[in-house]
Amino acid sequence: MNQTLNFTDISSAELEKLCEKHKLSLTLEESQKIVKMLGRNPTITEATIWSIQGSEHSSYKSSRQYLAKLPTDATPVILGPCEDSGIVEMCEINGEKYGIVYSHESHNSPSQLVPFEGAATGVGGICRDIACMGARVIGVLDQLRFGNPKDKKNQIIARGVVEGIAGYGNPLGVPNMGGDIAFDESFDGYTLVNVVALGLVKEKNILHSFAPKNAAKDGYNLIVVGKGSDKSGFGGASFSSQEVNEDEKDKNLGAVQEPNPFLERHLLASFQDLFKILEEKGELNTIGFKDMGAGGILCATLEIAEGAEGCGFGAEVHVENIHVAEEGLPPHVILCSETQERFCFAVPPEMTDFILDHFNKKWDLPKVSPGAKASNVGVINDSGRYTVKSNGEEICNAKVADITEGLRVDRPFVLPQEITQSDEIPELENLSAFLYEFLSRPNLAERTCITEQYDQTVQGATVLQRNYSDAVVAAPLRDFDELSDKDKKNGFAVSIGGSAHLGGVSPYEQGANAVCTAIQRVAATGAYPRSLTDCLNYGNPEKEKDMGIFVSGITGVAESAKNIHLYEHQNEPTPFISGNVSLYKRGNASAIVSCVGSITNVENAVGNIPKEKEIAMLIGSRPKEIGGTEFAKAINDEKKLKFAPAKINFKNAEKNIFSILQAHDKKLISSCSVIAEGGLMNTFLQKCIRGRVGFSGNFSKFSIAELFSEGDGFLVSITPKNQQKFLELMKTLEVPVTVLGEYKKTDAIDGKNFTINNSVLIEGWKKGLRGEVF
């Protein structure tokens, strides 16, 4: 059951067979490092532990040094990216800070193999990352990437993923607050499912995902709460850290976890009850609490036992004490499976029986789900070693630091060559006819066939939904009876950004624009951007070219965040407080970035829908490059032309953002949209569609490239009463403004160089996804 694996003098071919047999992911070099660190051959449990904890998914062994490029500190940050989730200040009321707990995750490989379960467990996992910080989960977002939308297999995967997200988030009782979906043939066979979750917590009630400094001295116990261990998800972290081939689908199915949102909802309620009891006793800050995700009980007990920085704790875990859902499982499977809906506590020994009774008796876990319970599985010590025993037999004994850091690697890379020269853009014979077709493309078409599957308003905090605003706005304090009506209006805006096409042209610009777009979308509502999270989806780091694409992409992400400062603290960068790296993925380089901002009165939040008689104005100048845009894809499916990407000017982007926020402060803007996917033309026509308005104005002054280029810019609508004040403000701020025309109560959209019937446009727009893909 716990054999020793002979890694000494093993060949690459022999190691490959051994790894396939035992579901390991180790290189020959890594196997020799393990032997050197242990001073002997590893047990199968130890080899499994290093395969998981040393994977890219768990240790970021290739990417960690580059993550140091990202800015992580600023005045609003309560907790940066050092635990399961980051925390940013939403507001301060009567001297008490309320924080938004914020985290980002991917479930790419599982969702490709088993779309419903893969996506569902991604939602469950990210919500657990929020809950373990002591927070109430208040929202989720999703950003999805699929291959060619005409391919039946991609359609099946897309439908399964959306159903999985809805199938977990809805019964969990958490609103879906935003996200997007995009298709690009580079993702054929390699779906991206990125998810974000948010929670609310008072600063004084924050829990930490490590044991406190007295844990070893006091002999803290490790308590596992939730489902019984089974073999589902075994090897999931290793599986997510390797290239997955379609012909190996059946072999990898066991690495996908099985979801139970009803159990997780019960657990989240039981935690809130526990936190309230411990707060009343003054004992809330005496415990450690951690989500159990990649690597299961192994990673949770190991990482929580590491303790506060510099403690150097160790732990001893007894496998026979871990509750299981099926008999006959080998010890290393029980320890390392990624069974869902589980958490790990580190608690003082005098609290252990109370914690066990709270879950097993008061909240009756064994009756809620077969095999579910709370179990005392181990103890924290000061040995600095991770020891695992099974019925008295020692099956693991290794230094904690060796497990968590021993397989780090500095990989060589070759940076990608940027496209600097563009082919000539083909002429459009009939711009009006092209626009009807353009708006019906799956990446631009109506999304209600997706969003109608999500509960967007459960919990009652949503103020502006995703269909009415560039960022979702929520007021999570509405049900705090002890607060005044004014205080309850404090809220936040949350957005997401990241082009599906641009990464295939320029990884750097894709990363930079993902940051800029996410920040702009929050600013568009009138909320002040305060923090970011990211999910960095890139290729095989073992290939110099892929590693170079990653380095280029994260450099763009970092430089954008460093150069677009906080509006409230204009000498401070926009900080990343949490994130995720997902390597070994194929498809265009995809940095997916989310932004959270604070707003003191949600009633002042601004959506993106104009009204008749309002004036349309463009903020900022339009780039003349179309590389990596939706327009370039639309005209270039067969011609294979090369177009250079627009290069973001950080100074101008920041100036545009600050000008919009100043105009919001003066209540001069009626609606605001960010110019992103589809460029100025798509942004403008989407406003007409959503507002059911016509238009009379002049777009003829713009070139085709300017009409369809993407990134950095806003399209606002201003009432005639505020027009002059707005123009004077923009002039003072030295921000370019172009008056485009007036929205009308009519079906005709007349831009001088194009004429559109809004009803006909809407008809095609509604069919682009519904009935075609979903």
Side-chain angles (χ1 to χ4, degrees):
M1 293 291 284
N2 190 54
Q3 67 198 83
T4 296
L5 302 183
N6 185 9
F7 280 1
T8 306
D9 299 324
I10 195 171
S11 69
S12 294
E14 290 169 335
L15 179 65
E16 186 176 345
K17 290 181 181 178
L18 206 58
C19 286
E20 184 173 354
K21 179 180 179 181
H22 297 295
K23 293 188 175 181
L24 304 175
S25 179
L26 294 167
T27 66
L28 185 62
E29 182 183 2
E30 288 170 342
S31 72
Q32 300 314 297
K33 284 183 178 180
I34 293 169
V35 171
K36 186 175 180 179
M37 286 185 284
L38 286 172
R40 56 176 171 78
N41 282 314
T43 66
I44 188 173
T45 300
E46 290 166 334
T48 301
I49 285 172
W50 258 292
S51 176
I52 294 170
Q53 195 66 37
S55 68
E56 295 285 0
H57 187 80
S58 298
S59 70
Y60 295 170
K61 63 187 177 187
S62 296
S63 58
R64 185 179 292 268
Q65 62 177 306
Y66 299 101
L67 295 175
K69 292 184 175 186
L70 301 177
T72 58
D73 188 37
T75 299
V77 175
I78 296 174
L79 181 68
C82 57
E83 299 188 40
D84 283 25
S85 299
I87 306 175
V88 65
E89 180 183 339
M90 183 184 76
C91 63
E92 183 173 329
I93 300 173
N94 300 324
E96 188 164 58
K97 289 184 179 180
Y98 292 78
I100 295 295
V101 185
Y102 195 31
S103 195
H104 211 137
E105 185 176 292
S106 64
H107 240 223
N108 299 332
S109 300
S111 300
Q112 175 66 33
L113 295 185
V114 188
F116 183 96
E117 289 82 356
T121 51
V123 173
I126 196 65
C127 288
R128 292 196 299 275
D129 280 338
I130 300 302
C132 71
M133 306 304 296
R136 181 181 74 182
V137 184
I138 57 174
V140 297
L141 299 88
D142 56 273
Q143 193 153 29
L144 313 176
R145 299 288 178 261
F146 302 106
N148 188 334
K150 295 181 181 179
D151 185 278
K152 295 296 183 183
K153 184 175 182 181
N154 291 332
Q155 294 175 3
I156 291 170
I157 292 172
R159 290 195 290 269
V161 165
V162 170
E163 289 168 3
I165 291 169
Y168 206 103
N170 292 352
L172 192 60
V174 176
N176 189 298
M177 287 186 163
D180 78 357
I181 183 171
F183 300 86
D184 185 285
E185 63 270 17
S186 70
F187 298 108
D188 281 344
Y190 306 99
T191 295
L192 296 186
V193 175
N194 289 186
V195 286
V196 174
L198 306 100
L200 181 70
V201 68
K202 294 180 181 179
E203 184 179 29
K204 67 178 183 180
N205 292 339
I206 294 171
L207 297 179
H208 293 284
S209 48
F210 54 73
K213 291 184 177 181
N214 59 310
K217 178 183 176 182
D218 294 344
Y220 269 46
N221 289 134
L222 295 165
I223 296 177
V224 170
V225 178
K227 266 186 188 174
S229 284
D230 55 30
K231 58 180 175 287
S232 68
F234 179 68
S238 300
F239 153 67
S240 293
S241 301
Q242 57 186 320
E243 290 186 330
V244 179
N245 295 316
E246 189 61 28
D247 56 1
E248 296 179 329
K249 176 176 179 178
D250 291 340
K251 184 179 76 173
N252 289 306
L253 287 177
V256 181
Q257 306 92 339
E258 298 172 2
N260 185 341
F262 301 101
L263 173 59
E264 184 152 318
R265 180 168 183 162
H266 188 82
L267 286 168
L268 296 185
S270 71
F271 295 148
Q272 291 298 314
D273 181 37
L274 176 64
F275 301 156
K276 184 177 180 181
I277 294 169
L278 294 180
E279 182 184 4
E280 291 172 351
K281 290 182 176 182
E283 298 175 345
L284 185 60
N285 296 319
T286 66
I287 67 172
F289 187 34
K290 188 169 179 61
D291 160 45
M292 202 173 294
I297 292 171
L298 151 69
C299 287
T301 54
L302 177 73
E303 293 172 10
I304 202 170
E306 277 188 289
E309 185 176 353
C311 287
F313 294 155
E316 184 173 298
V317 175
H318 294 266
V319 175
E320 67 272 13
N321 292 342
I322 298 171
H323 54 283
V324 297
E326 53 185 293
E327 298 301 320
L329 294 176
H332 69 286
V333 174
I334 296 172
L335 182 71
C336 301
S337 72
E338 296 179 14
T339 306
Q340 294 292 283
E341 290 84 44
R342 297 187 298 176
F343 295 80
C344 181
F345 283 91
V347 303
E350 62 272 15
M351 192 187 291
T352 299
D353 288 342
F354 164 74
I355 296 290
L356 295 174
D357 287 347
H358 177 82
F359 293 110
N360 294 332
K361 295 181 180 179
K362 182 177 182 180
W363 284 85
D364 209 2
L365 281 186
K367 289 186 178 179
V368 174
S369 180
K373 64 182 294 188
S375 297
N376 179 8
V377 305
V379 64
I380 294 175
N381 54 45
D382 60 2
S383 67
R385 303 187 72 83
Y386 187 66
T387 305
V388 182
K389 295 182 178 180
S390 178
N391 294 311
E393 178 187 4
E394 189 172 85
I395 59 176
C396 174
N397 190 332
K399 291 181 181 179
V400 170
D402 285 346
I403 296 173
T404 58
E405 300 181 18
L407 298 186
R408 296 272 180 88
V409 61
D410 186 5
R411 300 191 190 275
F413 61 85
V414 177
L415 291 174
Q417 289 187 336
E418 296 283 336
I419 299 174
T420 56
Q421 298 293 323
S422 293
D423 292 328
E424 186 176 347
I425 299 174
E427 291 291 328
L428 296 180
E429 294 181 6
N430 186 328
L431 179 58
S432 300
F434 175 82
L435 290 173
Y436 284 115
E437 190 114 357
F438 190 58
L439 268 288
S440 69
R441 290 176 63 83
N443 285 353
L444 305 178
E446 184 191 35
R447 266 92 168 104
T448 55
C449 55
I450 298 169
T451 59
E452 67 191 10
Q453 299 184 53
Y454 302 150
D455 192 331
Q456 301 181 65
T457 59
V458 64
Q459 298 188 17
T462 307
V463 176
L464 283 176
Q465 295 181 38
R466 62 160 81 188
N467 293 334
Y468 304 97
S469 175
D470 274 29
V472 172
V473 177
L477 301 179
R478 280 179 169 177
D479 59 352
F480 283 54
D481 293 336
E482 70 274 17
L483 298 180
S484 68
D485 289 343
K486 178 183 177 182
D487 291 335
K488 291 178 182 180
K489 294 176 182 178
N490 279 282
F492 67 89
V494 60
S495 70
I496 209 159
S499 168
H501 305 316
L502 185 54
V505 177
S506 172
Y508 177 93
E509 295 298 340
Q510 195 278 336
N513 275 278
V515 171
C516 183
T517 301
I519 294 173
Q520 286 177 323
R521 283 176 170 156
V522 165
T525 69
Y528 297 159
R530 284 193 163 179
S531 68
L532 303 164
T533 68
D534 60 22
C535 190
L536 306 176
N537 308 272
Y538 294 89
N540 185 343
E542 299 167 39
K543 299 177 181 178
E544 292 186 1
K545 182 179 178 181
D546 282 3
M547 189 66 194
I549 289 173
F550 166 73
V551 173
S552 178
I554 196 171
T555 301
V557 169
E559 292 185 358
S560 191
K562 287 176 181 176
N563 286 287
I564 300 178
H565 297 82
L566 296 176
Y567 179 67
E568 299 167 281
H569 308 279
Q570 295 185 12
N571 62 338
E572 298 181 6
T574 307
F576 281 89
I577 64 170
S578 183
N580 175 257
V581 180
S582 182
L583 301 181
Y584 293 94
K585 304 301 172 281
R586 300 187 193 177
N588 290 337
S590 298
I592 305 300
V593 176
S594 181
C595 182
V596 158
S598 175
I599 185 166
T600 56
N601 185 349
V602 295
E603 293 180 358
N604 293 332
V606 172
N608 58 14
I609 300 178
K611 297 178 181 177
E612 60 178 293
K613 297 183 179 180
E614 292 178 351
I615 310 301
M617 296 190 190
L618 169 65
I619 308 303
S621 56
R622 299 308 308 143
K624 294 180 174 60
E625 298 80 22
I626 62 166
T629 65
E630 188 66 26
F631 176 73
K633 293 292 292 185
I635 65 171
N636 202 24
D637 285 343
E638 297 178 359
K639 297 175 182 177
K640 306 301 180 185
L641 300 173
K642 287 186 177 181
F643 300 116
K647 294 187 177 298
I648 186 169
N649 183 310
F650 299 122
K651 184 176 180 180
N652 288 343
E654 181 182 82
K655 183 185 286 190
N656 291 340
I657 292 165
F658 286 2
S659 71
I660 286 294
L661 289 171
Q662 286 195 46
H664 277 307
D665 288 344
K666 297 178 183 295
K667 297 183 174 59
L668 298 178
I669 298 177
S670 298
S671 78
C672 186
S673 301
V674 176
I675 300 173
E677 295 84 1
L680 175 60
M681 286 311 308
N682 176 61
T683 304
F684 164 71
L685 292 174
Q686 294 275 358
K687 291 179 81 72
C688 293
I689 288 171
R690 296 176 192 281
R692 289 280 182 169
V693 292
F695 178 82
S696 178
N698 186 0
F699 280 79
S700 63
K701 65 192 77 176
F702 298 105
S703 68
I704 289 295
E706 290 172 320
L707 289 176
F708 293 99
S709 61
E710 297 176 0
D712 184 26
F714 295 88
L715 183 59
V716 302
S717 68
I718 310 291
T719 63
K721 177 182 176 182
N722 289 331
Q723 181 176 358
Q724 193 58 38
K725 291 180 182 178
F726 181 81
L727 290 172
E728 288 173 357
L729 176 63
M730 295 300 109
K731 183 178 181 180
T732 300
L733 298 174
E734 299 180 342
V735 173
V737 179
T738 305
V739 178
L740 299 173
E742 181 181 345
Y743 293 105
K744 303 278 190 175
K745 189 178 182 180
T746 175
D747 233 11
I749 302 172
D750 184 357
K752 195 171 184 180
N753 54 339
F754 62 88
T755 303
I756 299 288
N757 181 289
N758 203 3
S759 294
V760 176
L761 181 69
I762 290 171
E763 185 179 348
W765 176 72
K766 285 186 173 182
K767 293 177 181 178
L769 273 178
R770 190 185 297 273
E772 294 294 322
V773 180
F774 288 89

